[in-house]
Amino acid sequence: MTQPILVTGGAGYIGSHTCVALIESGHTPLVLDNLCNSSSESLERVRRISGVRPGFVEGDVRDAALLDRVLAEQRPQAVIHFAGLKAVGESVQQPLEYYDNNVGGTVTLLQAMQRAGLRNLIFSSSATVYGDPASVPIREDFPRSATNPYGRSKLMIEDVLGDLYRADPAWRIARLRYFNPVGAHPSGLIGEDPRGVPNNLLPYITQVAVGRLSRLRIFGGDWPTPDGTGVRDFIHVMDLAEGHVAALRHLLAHEGMFTVNLGTGQGCSVLQMVQAFERCCGRGLPYEIVQRRAGDIAECWADPAQAQRLLNWKAVRDLDTICADAWRWQQANPAGYA
Ligand code: NAD
Ligand code: UD1
């Protein structure tokens, strides 16, 4: 029997797309998720896409006894650890929840892996660890900082993993720093399903386009960027998913720890994204330019050279594909998985 890949948080947005990419590359995902920000319907959709329904354990990464049982019974080859909370504003209101879930959850998982003799881990970090970068594109050796508890939880976990690797170099660890994941699987069956009003740009745009929200508010038209709106590195979630398969391949074949950006290397402004989306859905999007959002930065995009060199991976899907796939998902599922 092939050993599964344990995917914590695998019912969520990036996790469900990664399950598809894992299955397509011959792996067997086993999802552990407490469904605090997702629905197991996503895994049924993964089955419709790939023909395989991932194994599913409903539970929490902070539950050490459950982890011991799953690791002993299923003997996974590696863990891809997506499980965590990710809303920046909420992390400012409820910092302890974020440290408990993200940092505490990761430490509990690492301890269980250590007890089970399993030392292969891929961790979801974020470009948020670069804070407000001094320049773009951003390389992995740029200084790190945090401006909110969510970002600090990612910094702390990166450091925990670094310490663990130094103490025991038998660990194989990938720290993947995602830029802005967007879009959906081209089938329109899985996609991003945020609870309540979306915080992030693209789900907000698609909900305006489908009539669920009345107008987009663009946070700031006076940034020091070519058109005055913020610039980000929007990466198609299937490119990101395939980045995990590439990272897994590398991890299983090589000793050591590595840290890579997963981004496209292209900056795209908020206005450029709005225009691309208008082209895709064939209608104008109502928007207004309002004040800057607290904590935002002007520009953020990746230098993706390290991922290409180390993993032989690069993002291949363009902005039009991102918009078309996000739009297909939103139209087919106007209320998400509900
Ligand atoms: P998501 O909320 O869709 O997925 C996270 C999943 O983890 C959810 O299914 C949730 O139910 C589960 N979960 C949360 N806490 C858990 C716990 N204690 N035990 C078990 N399951 C738990 O988010 P996503 O966008 O798929 O993000 C996945 C990971 O990538 C997160 O760690 C996030 O911080 C990181 N990340 C996301 C982005 C982004 O913009 N989406 C950017 C950078 C990094
Ligand atoms: C957000 C998170 C960050 C995370 C990143 C990747 C915040 C403050 N930061 O970053 O921690 O790592 O996602 O997923 O949430 N915008 C609007 N109107 C909107 C929404 C967004 O103009 O309604 C603008 C923002 O000002 C920004 C750009 O769109 O310029 C992208 O915003 P968003 O999608 O929230 O991502 P980030 O802020 O880059």
Side-chain angles (χ1 to χ4, degrees):
M1 197 188 78
T2 52
Q3 285 180 280
I5 306 297
L6 182 63
V7 184
T8 75
Y13 173 45
I14 305 171
S16 56
H17 290 79
T18 300
C19 284
V20 171
L22 285 168
I23 292 165
E24 282 172 352
S25 60
H27 294 288
T28 306
L30 169 67
V31 169
L32 185 141
D33 198 303
N34 67 2
L35 303 181
C36 71
N37 196 39
S38 56
S39 157
S40 59
E41 173 63 17
S42 63
L43 301 177
E44 174 54 25
R45 304 285 183 93
V46 169
R47 184 195 65 74
R48 283 170 63 186
I49 294 169
S50 65
V52 178
R53 196 182 202 284
F56 176 51
V57 178
E58 183 171 346
D60 198 296
V61 288
R62 292 165 295 181
D63 183 343
L66 173 70
L67 291 175
D68 283 343
R69 204 163 60 241
V70 170
L71 296 182
E73 285 171 7
Q74 306 285 337
R75 313 281 339 153
Q77 227 180 338
V79 178
I80 306 183
H81 179 37
F82 293 108
L85 304 176
K86 61 165 183 177
V88 173
E90 185 183 69
S91 81
V92 175
Q93 306 300 322
Q94 302 169 25
L96 298 181
E97 280 291 307
Y98 274 68
Y99 292 122
D100 178 38
N101 206 316
N102 294 3
V103 184
T106 303
V107 171
T108 302
L109 172 66
L110 294 169
Q111 288 171 325
M113 289 175 67
Q114 196 165 51
R115 283 192 295 276
L118 169 61
R119 293 189 187 80
N120 300 329
L121 178 85
I122 295 179
F123 170 64
S124 301
S125 189
S126 166
T128 191
V129 301
Y130 296 116
D132 190 352
S135 64
V136 277
I138 301 169
R139 276 198 325 267
E140 288 83 355
D141 60 356
F142 277 27
R144 298 174 315 147
S145 66
T147 53
N148 57 68
Y150 167 69
R152 196 161 295 113
S153 75
K154 293 293 178 190
L155 268 182
M156 290 167 75
I157 298 166
E158 284 199 355
D159 289 341
V160 167
L161 295 174
D163 288 341
L164 179 61
Y165 176 70
R166 274 183 290 279
D168 179 1
W171 278 85
R172 298 182 181 200
I173 297 173
R175 299 184 295 195
L176 306 182
R177 295 179 179 155
Y178 314 153
F179 281 68
N180 290 59
V182 286
H185 189 269
S187 62
L189 285 167
I190 55 174
E192 189 169 10
D193 182 18
R195 299 237 159 128
V197 178
N199 296 309
N200 298 114
L201 179 65
L202 204 61
Y204 205 103
I205 288 179
T206 59
Q207 292 196 15
V208 170
V210 84
R212 223 167 123 178
L213 295 167
S214 62
R215 63 176 46 226
L216 172 69
R217 292 177 310 143
I218 294 183
F219 299 133
D222 57 352
W223 293 100
T225 60
D227 66 20
T229 65
V231 173
R232 296 290 184 275
D233 185 335
F234 297 100
I235 174 170
H236 194 296
V237 65
M238 285 311 299
D239 279 331
L240 191 65
E242 288 162 8
H244 287 74
V245 175
L248 180 64
R249 189 186 320 118
H250 185 85
L251 188 98
L252 295 177
H254 302 85
E255 296 188 335
M257 178 171 83
F258 63 94
T259 306
V260 296
N261 290 336
L262 294 182
T264 67
Q266 306 282 327
C268 166
S269 77
V270 174
L271 265 182
Q272 284 173 321
M273 180 57 96
V274 168
Q275 287 156 0
F277 199 82
E278 287 178 334
R279 276 200 306 277
C280 149
C281 71
R283 69 182 84 149
L285 278 184
Y287 70 82
E288 61 183 327
I289 296 188
V290 300
Q291 278 189 339
R292 293 180 180 187
R293 178 172 69 178
D296 268 355
I297 56 176
E299 304 187 293
C300 174
W301 72 87
D303 181 336
Q306 171 89 334
Q308 163 113 56
R309 189 182 61 73
L310 205 64
L311 308 181
N312 194 24
W313 167 91
K314 67 174 187 214
V316 294
R317 294 164 179 87
D318 64 11
L319 200 54
D320 290 338
T321 306
I322 284 172
C323 292
D325 291 340
W327 186 220
R328 193 176 302 107
W329 153 253
Q330 182 70 74
Q331 281 182 296
N333 306 271
Y337 291 113

